[in-house]
Amino acid sequence: MQTVEALHHEAMELVDRAILARQRGDIDQVTAFTKAAFAKERAAADLVANEWDFEPTRSVLHRSAAVLAIECSQLREAERLIGRALAGNPPADIADELRDLLIEEIYSQRQAIGA
């Protein structure tokens, strides 16, 4: 099994590749790299989901995975990740960022599409 650190590192490398693909205008590659990064970051978050004393890393990984889920238009998965992060004991500033993501990104996108 891969370690949390290795999964997170691989996810961030894929995010970098997605950024470069976006600069080249290669939307198919942006989508592919972002989905792959999301899978890696979610796997890292899953590994620490029940590690309540592993803050702030636990909540930061969940926040990062949620942002990637939003990028992949997986709003329900992003909502679950945010809920799981908030169910722990994230530092106040990260908890605020998670709530902002929930309200500003997920709920606003749902309202925009009428879901």
Side-chain angles (χ1 to χ4, degrees), residues 51-89:
E51 301 294 329
W52 308 109
D53 295 330
F54 201 50
E55 293 291 358
T57 301
R58 182 186 171 280
S59 54
V60 168
L61 287 170
H62 281 80
R63 179 188 60 195
S64 177
V67 167
L68 289 166
I70 292 166
E71 287 287 319
C72 294
S73 299
Q74 294 187 30
L75 300 182
R76 183 65 182 124
E77 186 61 26
E79 191 173 34
R80 284 186 188 107
L81 288 159
I82 291 168
R84 194 163 69 177
L86 290 170
N89 191 27

Side-chain angles (χ1 to χ4, degrees), residues 10-82:
E10 289 173 21
M12 294 304 99
E13 285 181 356
L14 288 162
V15 167
D16 289 343
R17 293 177 77 179
I19 291 168
L20 292 173
R22 187 178 313 265
Q23 291 171 348
R24 290 190 313 270
D26 189 343
I27 300 306
D28 291 337
Q29 285 294 304
V30 171
T31 300
F33 289 136
T34 303
K35 285 181 179 180
F38 169 54
K40 297 277 186 184
E41 197 72 346
R42 180 176 51 191
D46 288 347
L47 288 175
V48 297
N50 296 320
E51 301 294 329
W52 308 109
D53 295 330
F54 201 50
E55 293 291 358
T57 301
R58 182 186 171 280
S59 54
V60 168
L61 287 170
H62 281 80
R63 179 188 60 195
S64 177
V67 167
L68 289 166
I70 292 166
E71 287 287 319
C72 294
S73 299
Q74 294 187 30
L75 300 182
R76 183 65 182 124
E77 186 61 26
E79 191 173 34
R80 284 186 188 107
L81 288 159
I82 291 168

